[in-house]
Amino acid sequence: MNILIWHVHGSWATSFVQGPHTYLVPVTPDRGPDGLGRARTWQWPPSVREVTPEELRTSDLDLMVLQRPHEVELAHRWTGRRPGVDVPAVYVEHNAPHETPDGTRHPLAGRDDIPVVHVTHFNQLMWDNGRAPATVIEHGIIDPGPLWTGEDPRAAVVVNEPVRRARTTGTDLLPRFARAAPLEVFGMRTDNLATHLGLAPDRCRTRDLPQAELHPAMARCRLYLHPVRWTSLGLSLLEAMFLGMPVVALDTTEAREAVPADAGVVSNRLDVLDEAVRAFLADREHARRVGERARAAAQARYGVRRFLDDWEHLMKEVTR
């Protein structure tokens, strides 16, 4: 099939485009949010083709994969065809509802011709999906390999824009965790995070690395810390498990489902999480054993083959 999909979420899309189709990714001269084109920091296959809005007018399309509310109108304007009416379409919802779960109606809740695909069961439950057919296809991760060494006695944290996102990503909790272990915070716009939090630079180092360098750098840290309060299940959490890292995470959103009891410590009691961080820091062999179980659990549930098979099944249903 020819599938129209915008480059919105690079990590998720990297797994999605491993399928057997041709993926048409819009590109604009400024490579802005609606025209990023092919990824530059992830490895995408040749089957991902950049197309301009003008070229989309005459492109054969079998399926539209939408990911943002305005793409419904944008797809119609750029292709001349209505998603869900003239061309089959699905809407991938990457996020948990930003407001309250009892009052957040999904943007597609009023129509029944475009299925909404959630990435976690928690998200499906919390969104008011209305009339929209809603289903779940859990994440699929391209296995980076068991890279964990744990040689650096630090806790790795991965978060983009931690200052702006604040309590949503648990940024306010980092000073507390920094007392239990020095932190290595990876992500975009993490500059001056230590100053913002009032931490010494050696207790909160920050790094914005290309994707190819991120996993080996994470894997040198002793453990992975996931202080997120309210976002979807982070791909970085699952990637850390694939690397063989033991996990310490807040018991929020889908974390409990993703991290079995023997693969890390998941709790909303901060004293329990502090103790877990210190235990992994103090005992590298303990961290190794738990990390191996985390990797096995992630491989069993979040492999890319299962992810692609789930998508193939759904796409056949939508386009038949």
Side-chain angles (χ1 to χ4, degrees), residues 147-152 219-222 284:
L147 303 183
W148 181 85
T149 64
E151 63 200 70
D152 193 349
R220 285 192 289 272
C221 295
R222 184 67 50 84
R284 185 173 174 182

Side-chain angles (χ1 to χ4, degrees), residues 157-161 185-190 207-209 214:
V157 181
V158 179
V159 59
N160 290 324
E161 301 186 73
V185 183
F186 300 92
M188 296 184 294
R189 298 183 181 90
T190 54
R207 306 172 73 183
D208 182 2
L209 298 177
L214 175 61

Side-chain angles (χ1 to χ4, degrees), residues 1-308:
M1 292 191 291
N2 288 335
I3 299 174
L4 170 63
I5 181 169
W6 273 266
H7 178 181
V8 173
H9 192 308
S11 294
W12 179 89
T14 298
S15 294
F16 183 77
V17 300
Q18 303 303 315
H21 308 290
T22 298
Y23 305 90
L24 305 181
V25 178
V27 63
T28 55
D30 64 349
R31 291 190 178 267
D34 290 334
L36 279 174
R38 285 178 55 93
R40 297 180 175 183
T41 56
W42 286 273
Q43 293 296 318
W44 284 7
S47 56
V48 182
R49 290 176 37 212
E50 292 185 342
V51 289
T52 66
E54 294 75 22
E55 290 170 332
L56 278 174
R57 279 275 168 179
T58 56
S59 296
D60 291 332
L61 297 175
D62 299 299
L63 179 68
M64 297 179 177
V65 176
L66 312 173
Q67 301 169 81
R68 298 168 295 175
H70 77 277
E71 289 180 10
V72 176
E73 186 278 329
L74 185 63
H76 185 199
R77 177 155 45 91
W78 282 6
T79 70
R81 285 156 280 182
R82 296 165 293 174
V85 179
D86 303 314
V87 178
V90 297
Y91 186 104
V92 180
E93 180 52 69
H94 292 287
N95 301 311
H98 186 65
E99 291 81 23
T100 60
D102 63 334
T104 306
R105 189 166 168 82
H106 196 274
L108 270 69
R111 55 191 299 174
D112 59 8
D113 54 350
I114 300 179
V116 176
V117 183
H118 295 280
V119 296
T120 73
H121 293 277
F122 178 91
N123 292 1
Q124 181 188 33
L125 179 67
M126 292 303 166
W127 278 102
D128 176 359
N129 295 293
R131 294 195 299 127
T135 190
V136 177
I137 296 182
E138 293 186 320
H139 289 305
I141 305 295
I142 299 172
D143 191 348
L147 303 183
W148 181 85
T149 64
E151 63 200 70
D152 193 349
R154 288 180 169 269
V157 181
V158 179
V159 59
N160 290 324
E161 301 186 73
V163 174
R164 179 184 67 81
R165 297 169 75 193
R167 286 179 58 84
T168 298
T169 53
T171 305
D172 60 301
L173 301 175
L174 295 181
R176 179 190 177 110
F177 286 120
R179 293 196 294 269
L183 308 178
E184 191 90 355
V185 183
F186 300 92
M188 296 184 294
R189 298 183 181 90
T190 54
D191 293 347
N192 301 316
L193 178 61
T195 302
H196 174 78
L197 296 175
L199 293 172
D202 65 317
R203 301 304 292 183
C204 182
R205 297 195 312 215
T206 59
R207 306 172 73 183
D208 182 2
L209 298 177
Q211 189 69 15
E213 299 175 25
L214 175 61
H215 289 155
M218 287 172 59
R220 285 192 289 272
C221 295
R222 184 67 50 84
L223 69 134
Y224 182 79
L225 174 64
H226 195 65
V228 172
R229 279 191 180 90
W230 188 261
T231 71
S232 187
L233 180 63
L235 283 169
S236 58
L237 170 65
L238 302 180
E239 290 168 354
M241 294 173 69
F242 269 90
L243 292 169
M245 302 183 74
V247 170
V248 176
L250 291 186
D251 190 4
T252 55
T253 64
E254 193 92 346
R256 174 69 63 177
E257 289 284 331
V259 185
D262 62 352
V265 177
V266 180
S267 177
N268 286 328
R269 289 184 51 179
L270 295 179
D271 58 330
V272 171
L273 299 180
D274 285 343
E275 183 180 348
V277 169
R278 291 191 175 97
F280 288 132
L281 213 63
D283 190 341
R284 185 173 174 182
E285 180 60 21
H286 169 54
R288 181 192 64 78
R289 291 193 301 268
V290 175
E292 286 179 349
R293 293 192 287 269
R295 174 170 165 78
Q299 286 178 304
R301 182 163 182 172
Y302 297 104
V304 71
R305 185 70 264 161
R306 188 274 310 154
F307 170 79
L308 293 173

